[in-house]
Amino acid sequence: MTESSAPGLEEQRQPLLSARAIGYAAAFGAGALLVVALGLTFPIPGINVVTDPRESFVTLGGAFSGPIGAIIVGILAGILEPGAPPPVSIVAHFGGALFMALYYKFLIWPLRERRIPSLVLWIVGVLIYYELVVVPLFTIGLVVFYPDPEYGGFFGLLVVLWGAVIPEMVLTMIITTIVHAAVPARLRRPNW
């Protein structure tokens, strides 16, 4: 039996807001919050920003819970941000979770039976998540709250942050790709 013919996996329209999506969002958002609350963050040398494994929770939570879930994941992932004002982190994490919800549902999920292409697309999605969504949104927020950054404004700070998040991005790619490969389709379907 293929994944698409497995019971409950046939294509059907899901409600934008469901108990299952809220549950996924709350669980993954709580995981991200717990990472920060437990102090599992590491300062990035030379800049007042931290790196941590919470993006694994944000990317998976957004992918599985959808746009409404992305709000919950973004709030929980950003509310205790130690390296910036919480609104900066909330907006960046919400934007990232929303991106992953859309990217996953419309690009990755349709390829669920083609494991290698879907895993490659997932890795590309995590790269886009960091480099074109979360880091730029975070940088915009920092420049708004700290209008005279020592790195010469938006582009200077953006370049510094792009380089600084590479280890975190690679870790997120590895962890989330393993989850994506190991978890059965019925548990990783988009819930919206």
Side-chain angles (χ1 to χ4, degrees):
M1 181 182 302
T2 65
E3 287 182 355
S4 65
S5 63
L9 284 183
E10 45 287 330
E11 290 302 315
Q12 55 183 314
R13 187 163 176 89
Q14 298 283 325
L16 191 57
L17 180 62
S18 70
R20 186 174 174 146
I22 298 301
Y24 271 62
F28 282 100
L33 178 64
L34 195 58
V35 165
V36 178
L38 292 176
L40 301 175
T41 60
F42 309 97
I44 297 173
I47 188 167
N48 188 28
V49 176
V50 299
T51 185
D52 56 57
R54 92 182 106 158
E55 303 311 325
S56 294
F57 293 102
V58 177
T59 56
L60 292 168
F64 300 157
S65 66
I68 302 298
I71 296 169
I72 296 167
V73 171
I75 290 170
L76 292 174
I79 196 72
L80 292 181
E81 177 65 44
V88 171
S89 187
I90 290 169
V91 168
H93 286 103
F94 162 67
L98 179 61
F99 165 76
M100 288 308 288
L102 298 170
Y103 185 84
Y104 185 75
K105 179 162 184 157
F106 297 113
L107 291 176
I108 296 173
W109 182 250
L111 295 175
R112 65 190 170 277
E113 292 183 33
R114 298 181 59 209
R115 299 300 280 159
I116 300 302
S118 73
L119 291 173
V120 169
L121 270 179
W122 177 265
I123 292 167
V124 170
V126 173
L127 176 68
I128 294 168
Y129 167 90
Y130 271 95
E131 302 300 334
L132 299 180
V133 181
V134 172
V135 173
L137 286 174
F138 196 79
T139 305
I140 290 168
L142 287 176
V143 171
V144 166
F145 278 90
Y146 305 109
D148 190 24
E150 65 182 277
Y151 298 98
F154 173 77
F155 291 107
L157 183 57
L158 180 63
V159 169
V160 168
L161 289 176
W162 272 339
V165 301
I166 290 172
E168 177 184 322
M169 180 177 62
V170 170
L171 179 64
T172 301
M173 284 177 178
I174 292 168
I175 291 170
T176 60
T177 302
I178 290 169
V179 169
H180 183 68
V183 173
R186 64 182 171 76
L187 297 176
R188 60 182 165 80
R189 71 177 301 153
N191 291 288
W192 61 286

